[in-house]
Amino acid sequence: MVNEFEIKKKICEIGKRIYVQGMDASNDGNISVKLNDNEFLCTPTGVSKGFMTPEYICKVDRDGKVIQANPGFKPSSEIKMHMRVYKERPDVTAVVHAHPMYATAFAIAGIPLTQPIMPEAVIALGCVPIAEYGTPSTEEIPDAVSKYLQSFDAVLLENHGALSFSDSLLSAYHKMESVEFYAKLLYLSRQLGGPKELSEAQVQRLYEIRRQFGMKGKHPADLCPNVQAGKPSCHGCGGNCNHGADKDMVAEITRRVLEQLGK
Ligand code: 13P
């Protein structure tokens, strides 16, 4: 039997950590947790996630409609985005949305996190794609995110922030931390003359370790058609090689060939 009050306290604790670490400014970000197939707890809209107490937390159904909310509190304006993740990823029980500074800077610059630069990021995340821009609170963001849900546990949201999800609240939060740490290292190493990337063989060994550990969740290494075909991994593919979209792949190959030719 889940103790809802304990889960509400955990949501407040995670909100505070996200806020204190500067991954959300002001009233930014939102968090949700799945209780069962038709009950979800979520942070309210328009409050600082660093100063919440359990009575702030709202309960919604699978359509994001309010089941319970204390006076003065309404569910997050981004509840549709959370619900889409739960709908399309039955293994997910917690979703975290934040605006971490470095990850969001990459999302604003339109640069996905694809360079294999450190073992932990390769094992935990693989690469992190960017879901195309959508207006907050509309179906545009859920629609953009949907494309990536079967291959990743974290995505950047173009000109907006980042989204992570997992089979526990702590794990979803850790993925957000990992995304931000990866983005920060990538940014800093670029200032130092550019990162020395891990080799293809090193990346493959890390993917193998992930498989041996039986790590849960979705990871591009598990689905990348290149890896399945024994070819080089998806790193450098823009986080988009594994969606069966042949035209995307052809466009990407064409772009890279033209780039090499200096066109
Ligand atoms: P809410 O306060 O409505 O959850 O929205 C915050 C946010 O970050 C929107 O992207």
Side-chain angles (χ1 to χ4, degrees), residues 27-30 44-46 49 76-78 97 99 160:
N27 295 339
D28 296 354
N30 27 72
T45 186
K49 279 65 191 186
S76 167
S77 60
E78 297 287 16
H97 165 51
H99 302 166
H160 185 166

Side-chain angles (χ1 to χ4, degrees), residues 52-237:
M52 297 184 299
T53 50
E55 42 316 338
Y56 281 43
I57 307 301
C58 305
K59 193 195 272 191
V60 295
D61 67 13
R62 66 162 74 84
D63 298 318
K65 300 266 167 4
V66 181
I67 295 176
Q68 193 275 325
N70 286 326
F73 297 106
K74 284 196 291 188
S76 167
S77 60
E78 297 287 16
I79 195 67
K80 293 188 188 104
M81 172 174 73
H82 291 244
M83 290 304 133
R84 184 69 72 89
V85 179
Y86 293 118
K87 188 171 172 208
E88 297 186 8
R89 283 284 302 272
D91 58 312
V92 165
T93 61
V95 177
V96 172
H97 165 51
H99 302 166
M101 188 174 296
Y102 290 87
T104 305
F106 276 89
I108 289 170
I111 304 169
L113 310 178
T114 58
Q115 289 180 272
I117 56 166
M118 65 170 313
E120 287 76 7
V122 170
I123 291 178
L125 303 165
C127 44
V128 184
I130 303 180
E132 295 69 18
Y133 180 77
T135 307
S137 85
T138 69
E139 290 290 346
E140 290 171 16
I141 298 183
D143 288 348
V145 163
S146 170
K147 183 173 162 191
Y148 301 97
L149 290 177
Q150 300 312 318
S151 319
F152 300 89
D153 285 347
V155 293
L156 301 182
L157 305 175
E158 191 173 26
N159 288 86
H160 185 166
L163 185 69
S164 61
F165 27 94
S166 193
D167 61 352
S168 75
L169 178 55
L170 189 62
S171 173
Y173 162 69
H174 279 156
K175 283 179 198 286
M176 184 60 73
E177 267 193 354
S178 297
V179 168
E180 177 60 351
F181 195 57
Y182 178 15
K184 192 170 182 177
L185 290 174
L186 195 51
Y187 177 85
L188 292 173
S189 56
R190 284 181 175 202
Q191 309 312 303
L192 296 169
K196 186 169 132 333
E197 289 187 11
L198 298 175
S199 70
E200 185 52 43
Q202 287 167 330
V203 169
Q204 292 304 330
R205 284 187 69 193
L206 295 168
Y207 284 176
E208 190 49 38
I209 287 171
R210 186 184 157 89
R211 280 190 279 271
Q212 278 169 9
F213 283 3
M215 288 172 72
K216 291 191 265 178
K218 306 281 186 187
H219 186 283
D222 300 332
L223 294 165
C224 176
N226 289 339
V227 171
Q228 284 172 358
K231 293 182 192 155
S233 80
C234 63
H235 275 102
C237 71

